[in-house]
């Protein structure tokens, strides 16, 4: 788990406990190294159906609150499908360790759920060869991963550990077993063996589960010590002379592949086992594991082991020879490879695939990996380039982002209430570029949406940009377009040349409207007076002598139908793209090999702020979910007054069209500190940027792209256009160098979209 946590956030949803007393619903029992173990607490007396319903909603609420969207769902039991089959994931693993349906007391729905899980799963891992044979008939992508062993843990048994108190008084020879005591154990065999050799002592550790404890044989030389912690097992094992696996041969043991076999061997103990198929197959030929089928043959095998057990060094050497090559590291890399292969297969099938994964050992192991391009930043600039380079030129691309997600500022997700929200404030897509629209439409369908904004001015909500309705509501009379033009002309100030944001507004609408709509908002937003900002900033918001109350007039205005993040997932789901979120450029810069860097972070940061810091304006977002269906009449309401600390409130349901009994909103508080969101357009900043740009021009192995790296107040579509332009230059260079033919390999889903 902790290995996978380097790649994913791992939430381990443990079996529920029935306990209403502690007042907890979901307990975070353990958190370390990226693994969080969550234990649902249920009220005793609930039906199985109620318990599943509660767990499903606990899981949903947790994922929303923790802002986690699982890449991977990993199932140890098909029963969990009931609480999670609604969760989207790029890859579903069914890790089948046992034929659970054959166990005593297995829920009747187990088989049906396994069937559903097999239909959903992208890949199946089995804990042994028998299971592999059985499952591969049911799924097209099955791998065998027999149990491995934590050698360093269990080999402590060889170092004469201190004997646990409850084992101290038990005479030798001791024959030991640890594990769950249930229907898999051959109780009759134990009793016969104990009777046959009253001078030997059978030590059994483990909880009694599902069977009546009275069924277990009671003899003076059989010692039940109860369940023990994993940590203490080597201390017990170290005190045994021989280890036993007295399993009954029945339906419940047909497919088992006991993990304890290699653990006993790691502890330096020989093993006597009944003829479990996977034990015979995997260890039958080695002389450290003997197969016996009756009390008499067990006794014979134990005697033989006791006779040669005196030579510990020889015993350990034999055990090590059997274990050679068996390690969790090997299992890990085998599983990683299987997942990567599955991702490639999904991608070529047109399925939204798991992103190709970094190799085992994360950054350290990346030393051996070679990429054509390292892309820093998984926002629009980085993701468009990664997609083009991989799909258009067949390049191997590593994308890193220091945030824990893809999509940059456009990242959206479902909040705790299940409402789709934008983590970094409202992002409305609008463009006049057919090319940009066509390109993005390969990765998403769209919802038509025309953005409307109201401004809170003089206690009224009026349209912004200023239009005929705004003037009517503020001045209490109707305006024709001609009257509005005359009205504003009479108020406008003659300013020549128009240079600043103050100039642009004063020269269009005059001081009164400037102060009501622009001055306070701009001072809050930028921490600067409009007279200190380039005219381009306020010029983004026009004034209209018409009743058009749309914020944008672009030809294409829409929102990705399933959200921005989903669109980015599709863009990055290419077998030659590896994405590592939560990873900064500095971490990978020297950890792997690549020919060229595409850098989409702040340019001054790249050059160590050597000429001083470029100012970027930041925001603090306050997100809230309200217990009401609707909060405000439009998607965004602006608050230009300096009396109000925030600039605007966004209500997302207007943008996304989602229907929900609650609603989620975001308040934006501008700030000098925090993540860089806005380059600040003013002449002195531009001069400073140009110094960095000169350095960039002298750094031919790095290409700077995007809003932060080219220090431009770009909208999303402009960044896409910029990235496509950069790609074309790269592609042209490649063609010029007469490299292998340029491959443009659109994914299968591309063809099905407009
Ligand atoms: P980003 O999205 O900022 O992506 C850059 C990425 O690089 C980030 O994820 C960052 O974590 C990563 N990064 C930086 N440095 C490093 C490093 N050293 N190592 C690893 N990763 C690093 N545009 C519109 O068209 N319409 C809108 O309605 C709109 N609304 C907006 C609202 C707000 C509040 C903001 C802030 C922006 C808005 N934009 C809007 C602009 C839009 O967000 C940007 O144009 C677009 O996201 C820029 O994409 P990008 O890839 O250049 O940068
Ligand atoms: N602006 C303003 N009042 C408003 C809306 C915008 O003064 O009600 C100014 C402000 O300086 C803002 C700029 O116009 O930063 C550009 O506004 P836009 O809505 O384009 O900002 P963005 O969406 O990029 O935050």
């Amino acid at each position: 788990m902790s290995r996978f946590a380097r790649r994913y956030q791992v939430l381990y949803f443990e079996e529920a406990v029935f306990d209403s007393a502690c007042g907890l619903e979901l307990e975070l029992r353990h958190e370390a190294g990226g693994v969080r173990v969550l234990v649902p607490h249920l009220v005793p007396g609930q039906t199985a159906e109620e318990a599943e319903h509660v767990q499903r909603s606990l899981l949903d609420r947790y994922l929303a609150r923790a802002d986690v969207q699982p890449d991977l769902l990993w199932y140890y039991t098909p029963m969990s499908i009931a609480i999670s089959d609604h969760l989207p994931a790029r890859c579903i693993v069914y890790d089948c360790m046992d034929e659970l349906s054959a166990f005593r007391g297995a829920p009747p729905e187990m088989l049906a759920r396994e069937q559903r899980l097999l239909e959903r799963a992208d890949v199946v891992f089995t804990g042994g060869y028998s299971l592999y044979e059985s499952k591969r008939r049911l799924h097209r992508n099955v791998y065998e991963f027999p149990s491995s062993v934590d050698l360093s843990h269990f080999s402590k048994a060889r170092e004469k550990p201190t004997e646990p108190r409850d084992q101290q008084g038990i005479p030798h020879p001791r024959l030991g077993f640890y594990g769950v005591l249930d229907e898999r154990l051959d109780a009759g065999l134990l009793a016969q063996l104990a009777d046959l050799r009253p001078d030997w002592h059978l030590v059994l550790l483990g909880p009694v589960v599902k069977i009546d404890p009275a069924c277990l044989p009671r003899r003076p030389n059989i010692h039940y010590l109860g369940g023990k912690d994993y940590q203490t097992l080597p201390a017990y094992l170290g005190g045994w002379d021989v280890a036993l696996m007295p399993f009954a041969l029945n339906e419940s043991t047909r497919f088992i592949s006991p993990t304890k076999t290699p653990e006993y061997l790691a502890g330096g103990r020989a093993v006597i086992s009944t003829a479990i198929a996977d034990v015979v197959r995997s260890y039958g030929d080695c002389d450290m594991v003997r197969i016996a089928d009756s009390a008499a043959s067990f006794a014979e095998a134990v005697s033989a082991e006791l006779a040669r057990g005196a030579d510990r060094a020889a015993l350990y050497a034999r055990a090590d020879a059997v274990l050679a090559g068996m390690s969790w590291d090997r299992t890990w890399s085998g599983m990683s490879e299987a997942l990567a292969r599955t991702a490639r297969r999904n991608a070529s099938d047109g399925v939204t695939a798991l992103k190709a994964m970094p190799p085992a050992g994360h950054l350290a192991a990346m030393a051996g990996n070679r990429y054509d391009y390292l892309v820093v930043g998984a926002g629009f600039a980085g993701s468009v380039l990664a997609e083009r380079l991989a799909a258009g030129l067949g390049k191997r691309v590593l994308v890193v982002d220091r945030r824990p997600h893809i999509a940059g500022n456009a990242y959206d997700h479902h909040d705790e209430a299940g409402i789709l929200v934008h983590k970094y404030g409202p992002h409305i897509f609008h463009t006049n570029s057919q090319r940009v629209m066509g390109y993005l439409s390969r990765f998403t369908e769209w919802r038509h949406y025309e953005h409307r904004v109201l401004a809170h001015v003089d206690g009224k909500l009026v349209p912004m940009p200023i239009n005929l309705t705004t003037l009517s509501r503020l001045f209490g009379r109707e305006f024709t377009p001609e009257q509005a033009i005359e009205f504003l002309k009479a108020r406008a100030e003659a300013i020549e040349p128009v240079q600043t944001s103050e100039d642009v507004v004063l020269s269009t609408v005059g001081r009164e409207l400037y102060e009501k709509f622009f001055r306070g908002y701009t001072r809050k937003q930028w921490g600067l007076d409009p007279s200190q900002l380039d005219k381009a900033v306020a010029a983004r918001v026009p004034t209209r002598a018409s009743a058009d109350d749309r914020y944008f007039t672009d030809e294409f205005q829409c929102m990705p139908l399933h959200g921005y993040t989903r669109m980015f997932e599709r863009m990055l789901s290419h077998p030659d793209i590896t994405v590592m979120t939560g990873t900064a450029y500095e971490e990978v810069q020297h950890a792997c090999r690549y020919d060229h860097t595409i850098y989409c972070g702040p340019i001054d940061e790249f050059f160590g702020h050597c000429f001083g810091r470029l100012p970027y304006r930041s925001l603090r977002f306050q997100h809230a979910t309200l217990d009401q269906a609707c909060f405000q009449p439009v998607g965004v309401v602006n608050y230009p007054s300096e009396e109000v600390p925030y600039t605007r409130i966004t209500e997302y349901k207007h943008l996304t069209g989602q229907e929900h009994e609650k609603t989620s909103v975001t308040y934006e508080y501008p700030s000098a500190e925090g993540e860089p969101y806005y380059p600040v357009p003013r002449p002195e900043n531009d001069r400073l940027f140009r110094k960095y740009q000169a350095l960039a021009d002298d750094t031919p192995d790095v290409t700077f792209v995007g809003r932060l790296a080219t220090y431009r107040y770009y909208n999303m579509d402009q960044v896409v256009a910029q990235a496509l332009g950069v790609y074309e230059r790269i592609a042209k260079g490649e063609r010029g160098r007469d490299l292998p033919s340029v491959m443009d390999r659109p994914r299968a889903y591309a063809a099905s979209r407009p």
Side-chain angles (χ1 to χ4, degrees), residues 377 380-381 401-402 408-409 424 426-428 585 706-707 714-716:
F380 270 102
D401 200 302
R402 58 187 169 197
N409 286 342
Y424 305 101
H427 277 70
I428 295 103
Y585 171 54
R707 182 148 138 144
Y714 271 167
N715 292 329
M716 296 181 280

Side-chain angles (χ1 to χ4, degrees), residues 527-581:
L528 293 169
D529 191 80
S531 59
Q532 299 170 291
L533 272 171
D534 193 278
K535 65 178 179 201
V537 175
R540 287 167 62 92
V541 186
T543 302
R544 299 204 187 109
S546 75
D548 188 350
D549 62 348
R550 296 171 306 160
Y551 204 68
F552 309 112
T553 50
D554 301 58
E555 186 180 349
F556 305 102
Q557 305 190 30
C558 44
M559 300 289 289
L561 189 60
H562 303 292
Y564 289 98
T565 305
R566 179 63 70 84
M567 179 175 81
F568 277 82
E569 282 171 3
R570 285 177 166 171
M571 212 183 271
L572 293 168
S573 288
H574 189 284
D576 291 331
I577 300 178
T578 300
V579 180
M580 292 168 71
T581 51

Side-chain angles (χ1 to χ4, degrees), residues 223-481:
H223 309 267
Y224 298 101
L225 303 187
K228 302 292 169 200
D229 193 71
Y230 178 82
Q231 292 308 326
T232 63
L233 293 181
Y236 284 96
L237 181 58
W240 302 346
D241 299 289
V242 171
L244 298 183
M245 295 205 299
F247 287 115
L249 298 181
N250 58 28
E251 267 306 293
S252 69
T253 57
R254 216 175 110 202
F255 297 104
I256 64 172
S257 189
T259 314
K260 52 186 75 56
T261 324
E263 290 174 356
Y264 289 157
L265 295 175
R269 267 57 197 168
V271 184
I272 321 294
S273 173
T274 46
I276 296 299
D278 276 0
V279 176
V280 175
R281 190 169 1 226
S282 309
Y283 301 94
D285 291 340
C286 88
D287 71 348
M288 281 295 284
V289 179
R290 293 169 187 261
I291 307 297
D293 57 4
S294 64
S297 58
F298 256 74
E300 202 177 306
V302 170
S303 296
E305 276 309 324
L306 291 175
R308 69 175 188 173
D311 185 355
R312 287 274 156 208
L315 192 70
Y316 294 163
R318 279 201 301 276
D320 288 342
V322 181
L323 293 171
M326 222 188 256
S327 75
W328 285 119
D329 288 345
R330 210 168 121 173
T331 306
W332 152 259
S333 59
M335 285 184 170
S336 296
E337 253 174 54
L339 287 174
R341 254 198 305 277
T342 304
R344 283 196 287 275
R345 179 188 282 203
N346 279 353
S348 63
D349 288 357
V351 177
T352 300
L354 175 77
K355 279 169 261 159
M357 304 202 312
H362 194 60
L363 296 173
M366 288 181 61
N369 267 43
R370 177 160 202 105
Y371 298 92
D372 298 306
Y373 284 85
L374 168 66
V375 173
V376 180
F380 270 102
S383 300
V384 168
L385 269 157
E387 190 280 335
R388 285 291 71 218
L389 291 166
L393 291 178
K395 299 292 179 190
R396 291 195 64 208
V397 185
L398 172 64
V399 182
V400 297
D401 200 302
R402 58 187 169 197
R403 288 173 175 170
H405 56 74
I406 56 170
N409 286 342
Y411 173 70
D412 55 14
H413 66 102
H414 288 88
D415 66 9
E416 196 165 336
I419 300 170
L420 186 63
V421 297
H422 297 183
K423 184 169 175 148
Y424 305 101
H427 277 70
I428 295 103
F429 187 75
H430 56 102
T431 188
N432 285 315
S433 164
Q434 175 72 58
R435 180 163 168 255
V436 167
M437 196 62 209
Y439 172 73
L440 291 178
S441 300
R442 297 188 193 181
F443 312 104
T444 186
E445 292 154 274
W446 300 94
R447 162 179 197 264
H448 181 66
Y449 169 71
E450 290 186 330
H451 190 45
R452 288 183 168 76
V453 174
L454 295 173
H456 191 267
V457 171
D458 294 348
K460 302 185 177 98
L461 287 180
V462 297
M464 180 71 181
I466 295 169
N467 69 358
L468 294 184
T469 318
T470 316
L471 297 178
S472 302
R473 285 202 196 151
L474 281 184
F475 298 101
R477 69 175 179 89
E478 292 303 309
F479 284 85
T480 63

Side-chain angles (χ1 to χ4, degrees), residues 41 55 115 123 132 221 349 486 646 650 713:
H41 286 241
Q55 289 181 72
Q115 172 93 32
V123 60
Y132 170 74
N221 61 336
D349 288 357
E486 279 310 307
Y646 43 86
T650 300
Y713 187 5

Side-chain angles (χ1 to χ4, degrees), residues 708-730:
L708 304 172
T710 58
Y711 205 67
R712 290 202 173 88
Y713 187 5
Y714 271 167
N715 292 329
M716 296 181 280
D717 64 322
Q718 294 169 303
V719 173
V720 174
Q722 186 191 42
L724 290 175
V726 168
Y727 166 71
E728 256 156 35
R729 282 202 300 281
I730 293 174

